[in-house]
Amino acid sequence: MDSAEMKATASSEGMKAVQSAIRLFVMIICIGYTMVWIMMPTNTFYLKWLPAIHSKTDSTYFGTQGANMLIFTFPILLIATLACLYLHLRKKNVDNNNQSKVDNSCLASWRRPVLVKGPLGIVSWIELCFLTMFIALLIWSVFSYLHGMFAYIKQEAARKREHVWEAKLESSALMLGLVGSICLAFLFFPITRGSSVLQLIGLTSEASVKYHIWLGHIVMTIFTAHGLGYILFWAKTHQISQMLKWNKTGISNVAGEAALLSGLVMWATTFTPLRRKIFEIFFYTHHLYIIFVVFFLLHVEFFYSCIMLPGLYLFLIDRYLRFLQSQQRVHFVSARVLPCQVVELNFSKSPELSYTPTSTMFINVPSISKLQWHPFTITSSSNMDPDHLSVVIKCNGSWSQKLYQKLSSASPMDRIEVSIEGPYGPPSIQFLRHDMLVMVSGGSGITPFISIIRELLFRSNTTGGKTPRVLLICAFKKSADLTMLDLLLPLSDTNLDSSRLQLQIEAYVTGEKEHTTHDQKLLQTIWFKPNSLDAPISAVLGTNNWLWLGAIISTSFIIFLLLIGILTRCYIYPIDRNSDEIFSYTLRSALNMLFICVSIVVTATAAFLCNKKQNGKEQKQSQNVDMLTPMTSPSSWFHNVDKELDILSSQSFIQTTKIHLGERPNLKKMLMGCEGSSIGVLASGPKRLRHDVAAICSSGLANNLHFDSISFSW
């Protein structure tokens, strides 16, 4: 072993040691944070622990809210910052792939689906365990709050000259508000797309959306009961005028009602039947979350909202970074238009941008809609094609239909402006640990598998290591949809030997018993004219630059603390003296929200511009290369290429494709017939298909089947 190899080994071992230390420290913080949530509903916490903490932390700089920021906000932001460092080291570690194999193998049994058919969808053992613990926390909080509130309920009722049941009703309504805040504290974590916390525990925002849905339903159910409880109490005690009160100090009822109403409007559009029929209404009404959050903070005052601040704070950072990225028009290189109403969009990207298979990104086409952003699964491999990124879009709505019409028209446009957000994807490649991969798709559900096949093809030709055997079972409704198999390889030429990848394709056409021929049998490739203002897709801060994200989180929070400290010491404390009885709660909350926004905007903008300047040379070089797009005529920037779709001869490994007309795949028989000690089963497509595959894998008939449901967007 030479000196260079010894240094690399020592560096790798050092990074592993730091990673282990970070994991241990984060675990200790999580245990302590969990204990706080468990003890928070008890009198021990409110009557003993919290006063003791206040006595040591209340100051002329942070007032009484300093204790809550220390208990609830600081630990999570510290975890998020440490997670950024951990993810940066893991990305640098050359042994990351081997480590992932070990970790994933240990957790393989916990990832097996246990609930398949039901309102929650496909739920694994580990998800069921955490869901059970969370429900247990809510039940514990309900009983603990009621136990403490009902201990002296008779004396409280006598003091207020109320009936005991009326006092219990008021206490119960208050308890529901407190328990709802627990759920609200976790609501924003799953939808923070570039979250280091999610990546740390091996989750993606796409896979975590269902947790946001679960939490959203729980939050609105509890908050609705909370509001109705108080309205009923005020009506019975002849205090209905309380609904119109906005107190200078204490709870502001009008703000709470405004938050509840905006939440109810959002909630009404989230139910599946309505969301599928009128998605645009769901999309636009969900922006009411801004009103909901603002009035919630004004309702409970910033002191108590520190409980839900960490998730909101990380979400705001992520949202602003996505806004900055979305302002740049990207270089739209070409499009492949298929006769089955499918298009493949190809963009120029910076070679430094890397992403894992099954990643997604959001696309906006201003000429169709300036407000609508739609997620799509990335079908390219950043290793196979370092200069381009592609997505496949199936017409399944008004937006995608308009895009297809633009591209397939007799005189398509020579340039289309496009903005993107992302990409976002899993932190590591998990499917390499298996001996065999079985990928089951229905319709356009094949799109995430295109990126996996391209990645495996690249690795089988370059790394020299063994790649798993691949069985692709794809079902289509019409024979014209078989043209999607022509997208398995990129548009750009590749010198990779496809015979090194052991790939078998079983294609089923369920809606036709004979292969139908149509007049429209041509695949159309369109090249677009470049523009000097367009830029290649570059690495967004976060998923491709964790250190920048960690710097933004820590620096912005420090700036926020400095602003709050100056405000409190110079303005609030001379008036209020930490009594919380003089200075307006509304003004205090508004100033806190303003300072949060200012600190995030200033820090994130500075980091974004600095990172953009740092990568400017690489982006310019990449853009110059992309401008040399292959053309039949140098004087023409617009070109159409028509070619016959001969799927069985277009790519060498597709020659083994077996097409079944008028049949449906016998999934149980095919999965049980697979040989291998570890078989990864990936399912993507309609809900029923994914549930059927999950049911087979969880039946216990074959312990070597490891199921994973792929979240795809098209």
Side-chain angles (χ1 to χ4, degrees):
M1 181 181 294
D2 56 21
S3 59
E5 291 179 347
M6 293 179 63
K7 289 181 179 180
T9 303
S11 176
S12 177
E13 293 298 326
M15 286 191 290
K16 286 183 178 180
V18 175
Q19 285 180 268
S20 300
I22 292 175
R23 283 200 301 265
L24 178 61
F25 188 51
V26 168
M27 189 177 299
I28 293 173
I29 296 175
C30 289
I31 293 174
Y33 199 70
T34 304
M35 289 301 301
V36 170
W37 282 105
I38 294 174
M39 294 301 297
M40 188 174 66
T42 64
N43 287 334
T44 302
F45 179 83
Y46 273 103
L47 300 180
K48 295 181 180 180
W49 292 9
L50 198 57
I53 296 174
H54 274 294
S55 64
K56 297 179 180 180
T57 58
D58 287 357
S59 66
T60 59
Y61 291 95
F62 300 108
T64 56
Q65 73 184 35
N68 276 17
M69 285 195 294
L70 177 64
I71 297 172
F72 297 105
T73 306
F74 176 74
I76 298 300
L77 297 187
L78 177 61
I79 290 175
T81 304
L82 292 175
C84 291
L85 177 60
Y86 176 87
L87 294 169
H88 172 76
L89 294 175
R90 187 173 67 176
K91 191 175 181 180
K92 293 291 184 182
N93 195 337
V94 294
D95 295 327
N96 177 47
N97 289 336
N98 293 333
Q99 181 181 354
S100 297
K101 291 181 183 180
V102 175
D103 293 342
N104 291 328
S105 298
C106 297
L107 293 174
S109 59
W110 286 93
R111 298 181 187 273
R112 289 180 178 274
V114 58
L115 299 178
V116 177
K117 296 181 180 180
L120 298 181
I122 301 173
V123 181
S124 65
W125 279 106
I126 192 168
E127 289 174 332
L128 183 62
C129 288
F130 277 98
L131 178 61
T132 303
M133 288 189 289
F134 184 74
I135 297 299
L137 173 64
L138 297 184
I139 295 175
W140 159 257
S141 300
V142 168
F143 283 100
S144 296
Y145 278 127
L146 290 180
H147 179 267
M149 293 175 179
F150 287 179
Y152 304 99
I153 196 68
K154 293 183 179 179
Q155 295 89 327
E156 186 71 15
R159 186 180 66 83
K160 293 183 177 181
R161 297 181 180 180
E162 298 172 349
H163 297 292
V164 174
W165 72 268
E166 293 174 339
K168 287 185 176 181
L169 176 60
E170 182 184 19
S171 297
S172 299
L174 174 60
M175 174 274 299
L176 290 170
L178 297 174
V179 174
S181 299
I182 298 175
C183 303
L184 188 61
F186 297 92
L187 185 64
F188 290 96
F189 284 106
I191 54 173
T192 304
R193 296 173 190 167
S195 171
S196 59
V197 177
L198 290 180
Q199 296 276 339
L200 180 66
I201 58 180
L203 292 175
T204 64
S205 59
E206 280 289 311
S208 303
V209 167
K210 63 180 180 181
Y211 309 139
H212 174 75
I213 296 173
W214 297 351
L215 288 168
H217 286 305
I218 296 174
V219 164
M220 289 312 305
T221 300
I222 295 177
F223 278 165
T224 301
H226 164 71
L228 292 177
Y230 266 108
I231 292 174
L232 180 60
F233 168 74
W234 291 329
K236 290 294 183 180
T237 56
H238 308 289
Q239 302 179 65
I240 202 67
S241 60
Q242 289 288 332
M243 293 183 63
L244 303 178
K245 284 198 173 181
W246 191 307
N247 297 325
K248 181 180 179 181
T249 59
I251 299 297
S252 299
N253 296 332
V254 174
E257 292 153 10
L260 180 59
L261 287 175
S262 59
L264 288 174
V265 174
M266 284 192 294
W267 192 26
T269 61
T270 59
F271 293 96
T272 304
L274 185 61
R275 187 180 71 246
R276 289 181 176 176
K277 290 182 179 179
I278 43 177
F279 178 80
E280 286 78 8
I281 294 181
F282 161 78
F283 176 80
Y284 292 124
T285 56
H286 235 61
H287 287 81
L288 290 173
Y289 79 87
I290 300 174
I291 297 177
F292 175 83
V293 169
V294 169
F295 280 100
F296 175 83
L297 295 178
L298 296 178
H299 173 59
V300 300
E301 206 268 324
F302 194 82
F303 167 82
Y304 187 76
S305 61
C306 290
I307 293 176
M308 54 86 65
L309 182 60
L312 177 63
Y313 195 91
L314 296 176
F315 171 78
L316 291 176
I317 291 177
D318 177 76
R319 186 65 190 88
Y320 185 68
L321 288 175
R322 290 192 281 119
F323 168 77
L324 292 176
Q325 186 192 22
S326 67
Q327 299 308 298
Q328 176 66 60
R329 296 288 186 263
V330 298
H331 183 192
F332 188 7
V333 178
S334 63
R336 284 199 280 183
V337 183
L338 277 65
C340 58
Q341 290 196 321
V342 171
V343 294
E344 180 190 55
L345 310 183
N346 296 284
F347 303 93
S348 171
K349 85 170 186 69
S350 170
E352 289 75 24
L353 173 63
S354 62
Y355 49 86
T356 51
T358 71
S359 295
T360 61
M361 74 176 187
F362 288 72
I363 295 179
N364 171 261
V365 181
S367 59
I368 299 177
S369 173
K370 294 183 179 180
L371 298 178
Q372 291 188 33
W373 289 80
H374 293 265
F376 297 101
T377 302
I378 297 174
T379 55
S380 56
S381 167
S382 58
N383 290 321
M384 175 184 285
D385 198 350
D387 298 318
H388 296 90
L389 183 150
S390 62
V391 298
V392 172
I393 301 175
K394 172 73 172 178
C395 291
N396 195 44
S398 59
W399 187 91
S400 56
Q401 189 67 42
K402 291 177 182 177
L403 178 63
Y404 185 81
Q405 290 173 356
K406 281 179 175 290
L407 297 175
S408 61
S409 62
S411 56
M413 303 170 64
D414 61 351
R415 180 177 179 267
I416 298 179
E417 289 189 355
V418 179
S419 298
I420 66 100
E421 290 182 4
Y424 310 102
S428 61
I429 300 174
Q430 300 182 3
F431 49 79
L432 291 175
R433 64 186 175 92
H434 299 294
D435 300 321
M436 181 178 182
L437 275 181
V438 180
M439 300 185 290
V440 185
S441 69
S444 55
I446 194 175
T447 51
F449 298 151
I450 296 176
S451 63
I452 295 177
I453 290 175
R454 292 184 184 182
E455 180 69 21
L456 290 176
L457 178 60
F458 172 82
R459 288 176 176 265
S460 64
N461 279 264
T462 56
T463 61
K466 182 181 178 182
T467 56
R469 294 175 288 117
V470 179
L471 171 60
L472 174 61
I473 306 172
C474 48
F476 302 103
K477 198 170 185 179
K478 299 179 180 179
S479 56
D481 295 333
L482 290 170
T483 56
M484 292 189 69
L485 295 177
D486 201 44
L487 302 176
L488 289 178
L489 284 184
L491 180 62
S492 57
D493 294 333
T494 175
N495 297 322
L496 300 178
D497 182 7
S498 57
S499 62
R500 293 190 178 185
L501 178 63
Q502 302 179 58
L503 173 64
Q504 177 186 354
I505 302 177
E506 299 286 340
Y508 290 81
V509 180
T510 60
E512 296 175 356
K513 294 185 178 180
E514 295 181 359
H515 182 72
T516 58
T517 57
H518 302 277
D519 295 334
Q520 226 177 5
K521 281 184 64 177
L522 300 178
L523 181 148
Q524 188 182 36
T525 302
I526 305 170
W527 299 96
F528 293 103
K529 180 180 178 180
N531 187 285
S532 59
L533 298 178
D534 295 341
I537 300 174
S538 58
V540 65
L541 299 181
T543 53
N544 277 272
N545 208 327
W546 292 112
L547 289 183
W548 277 108
L549 180 60
I552 292 172
I553 295 172
S554 56
T555 305
S556 62
F557 188 64
I558 291 173
I559 293 176
F560 168 67
L561 293 179
L562 290 175
L563 293 175
I564 287 298
I566 295 173
L567 172 71
T568 305
R569 182 66 183 89
C570 300
Y571 183 51
I572 298 178
Y573 181 77
I575 299 174
D576 195 80
R577 298 288 177 177
N578 285 348
S579 65
D580 289 334
E581 296 178 355
I582 302 175
F583 196 84
S584 171
Y585 278 24
T586 300
L587 181 57
R588 188 199 300 262
S589 297
L591 290 173
N592 275 272
M593 286 187 284
L594 175 63
F595 288 161
I596 286 177
C597 295
V598 168
S599 60
I600 290 175
V601 168
V602 170
T603 309
T605 302
F608 184 84
L609 294 177
C610 184
N611 185 68
K612 185 177 180 180
K613 183 179 179 180
Q614 183 179 350
N615 297 331
K617 291 183 179 181
E618 292 81 356
Q619 291 184 0
K620 192 172 183 180
Q621 292 175 358
S622 176
Q623 189 174 15
N624 291 336
V625 172
D626 289 330
M627 284 184 178
L628 302 177
T629 310
M631 299 291 156
T632 56
S633 172
S635 61
S636 174
W637 283 106
F638 177 72
H639 182 55
N640 291 332
V641 179
D642 294 336
K643 69 175 185 177
E644 292 190 15
L645 285 177
D646 188 358
I647 301 173
L648 301 182
S649 61
S650 59
Q651 317 295 350
S652 60
F653 61 77
I654 302 182
Q655 293 177 1
T656 58
T657 301
K658 186 175 181 181
I659 299 178
H660 308 264
L661 296 174
E663 299 180 29
R664 294 183 180 274
N666 189 337
L667 296 177
K668 185 174 183 180
K669 181 179 179 181
M670 299 180 76
L671 292 176
M672 294 303 172
C674 296
E675 297 180 357
S677 58
S678 177
I679 301 173
V681 182
L682 309 179
S684 174
K687 183 178 180 180
R688 182 178 178 181
L689 173 68
R690 290 183 282 116
H691 286 187
D692 290 342
V693 176
I696 296 172
C697 295
S698 62
S699 62
L701 299 176
N703 293 325
N704 60 342
L705 298 179
H706 305 282
F707 173 78
D708 187 12
S709 177
I710 301 293
S711 300
F712 79 102
S713 305
W714 39 266

